[in-house]
Amino acid sequence: MIFLTTLIGVGQGLFLALFSAQAYGMAKILPVQSNEFFATGGLIALLFLLGGLFAAVFHLGKPSYFITRAWRGMTQWRTSWLSRELIAMPIMIGLTFIYMVVYHFGLDADLYGWGVPGQLPLTVGIATTVAAIALFICTGMIYAAVKFLQEWACALTPVNYFLLGTASGFTLATAYAAAYGDGLVQFFGNWAIVLTLAGLITRAASLFRNSRIKRKSSVQTAIGVRHTKVQQKSMGMMGGSYNTREYFHGKTAAFLKSVKWIFLALTFALPLFLLWVGLVMGDNGLFLLAFIFQYVGLLFERWFFFAQANHPQNLYYQVVG
């Protein structure tokens, strides 16, 4: 899940960066870029999305489950955010592929009778943008909709998925524009800084909120006894089990705290510094370094996100007698 959510986040964010440059170019606010620029950028975004899909296949336990089980999950779209994500992801991947093909072959058509060029790429770009935003919402809501995990059940969860994904995508777009040698470095770089700062604010807000959560579940509520001095002596077994392995990370509070400061530094502080210095000094090599630091930081951030969730079932498994 860590690789799935971070890789598709970069792909979605990079596409949104490309489409914003496309839209600004058509509005003559920015210079119009070549078809090759958007086709190659679309290919890079597609590779990140496929990388996330590859990671998702292994997340299912057995790769064969991707064929035998994943399609069944799509049938529950009326009630399940996971099912909606399973539908949104292939749509996003397919539309990104079409976007890349349209620009690679220079395809266009007067779809609306406006008599102006760029209508087909614009239509595909808008459809892919809607799919990217829908996928961000579905991925975030999978966790925000789990009411009994109080660390996740918050509007900040989908907001953070969106902002961290777009921030990493725009940071990669800055490095891509710098390597490509066009005039979009300042545009992408400034937006990468804005989105990274916004992500820092909302992620810090979620950390602040989670540190002050009043637990709805306790040892008393778990066993239905209201005595104030209930103390668990044993979880009823000496060894581990599926419950102890899958729902608890086994790390100390000090370890979690160290991971928190690592991801705050790598995801936000270092990329912001490198992006700012790169834009001011004109050092294009720093943008790729900023993306690498930010992506590694996102791996730590996503691990912390999953590990911080306090599963109520652990009330039964917290003590070995």
Side-chain angles (χ1 to χ4, degrees):
M1 294 307 293
I2 292 173
F3 284 105
L4 163 65
T5 56
T6 53
L7 287 172
I8 65 173
V10 174
Q12 292 165 262
L14 177 58
F15 177 81
L16 293 178
L18 292 171
F19 180 69
S20 62
Q22 175 193 354
Y24 275 60
M26 294 187 72
K28 301 189 184 308
I29 299 173
L30 289 173
V32 177
Q33 303 303 311
S34 67
N35 286 355
E36 183 187 356
F37 176 80
F38 291 111
T40 306
L43 174 62
I44 297 171
L46 183 64
L47 291 175
F48 273 94
L49 291 167
L50 291 174
L53 182 64
F54 184 73
V57 171
F58 286 93
H59 168 67
L60 292 173
K62 293 181 180 179
S64 60
Y65 288 170
F66 180 73
I67 298 174
T68 59
R69 294 188 179 183
W71 69 272
R72 295 177 183 171
M74 296 180 184
T75 62
Q76 307 303 313
W77 60 272
R78 292 180 181 83
T79 56
S80 168
W81 284 104
L82 177 59
S83 180
R84 292 163 190 159
E85 186 196 42
L86 289 173
I87 296 171
M89 188 185 295
I91 291 175
M92 175 67 196
I93 292 173
L95 286 172
T96 305
F97 175 76
I98 294 172
Y99 184 85
M100 179 192 69
V101 170
V102 165
Y103 267 110
H104 179 73
F105 292 103
L107 304 178
D108 201 356
D110 190 9
L111 298 175
Y112 310 107
W114 297 343
V116 295
Q119 293 179 48
L120 180 60
L122 179 65
T123 302
V124 176
I126 291 173
T128 314
T129 297
V130 172
I133 294 172
L135 182 54
F136 271 128
I137 294 172
C138 292
T139 305
M141 285 305 297
I142 289 173
Y143 308 103
V146 183
K147 300 300 182 185
F148 58 88
L149 293 181
Q150 293 175 259
E151 290 84 356
W152 296 353
C154 173
L156 287 169
T157 298
V159 170
N160 284 327
Y161 268 82
F162 174 78
L163 287 176
L164 298 186
T166 51
S168 59
F170 271 80
T171 302
L172 179 58
T174 309
Y176 170 58
Y180 197 83
D182 68 4
L184 292 178
V185 174
Q186 286 287 335
F187 173 73
F188 287 140
N190 288 333
W191 270 110
I193 290 174
V194 169
L195 290 166
T196 302
L197 279 173
L200 172 60
I201 292 170
T202 57
R203 192 66 179 93
S206 69
L207 291 174
F208 180 80
R209 170 191 174 273
N210 290 348
S211 67
R212 285 159 177 75
I213 285 177
K214 292 183 179 179
R215 302 293 170 191
K216 296 178 181 177
S217 301
S218 63
V219 176
Q220 285 83 358
T221 62
I223 60 176
V225 175
R226 296 188 178 182
H227 196 282
T228 56
K229 293 185 178 179
V230 177
Q231 185 178 7
Q232 185 181 5
K233 296 293 185 182
S234 172
M235 65 178 180
M237 53 189 178
M238 296 298 294
S241 67
Y242 176 84
N243 286 315
T244 56
R245 290 192 301 271
E246 293 296 318
Y247 299 106
F248 185 63
H249 46 76
K251 305 298 182 184
T252 64
F255 183 85
L256 249 68
K257 190 175 182 180
S258 65
V259 172
K260 179 181 72 175
W261 288 111
I262 288 172
F263 89 69
L264 287 173
L266 291 178
T267 307
F268 303 108
L270 273 172
L272 282 171
F273 175 75
L274 292 170
L275 285 166
W276 177 73
V277 172
L279 292 175
V280 171
M281 305 296 291
D283 188 343
N284 291 338
L286 295 180
F287 301 129
L288 181 59
L289 196 60
F291 171 71
I292 293 171
F293 275 124
Q294 193 163 51
Y295 183 74
V296 174
L298 283 173
L299 297 179
F300 281 96
E301 187 275 338
R302 211 49 50 88
W303 184 90
F304 184 87
F305 172 79
F306 290 120
Q308 194 185 30
N310 190 10
H311 293 260
Q313 69 101 43
N314 289 332
L315 291 169
Y316 290 100
Y317 301 104
Q318 60 185 321
V319 178
V320 178

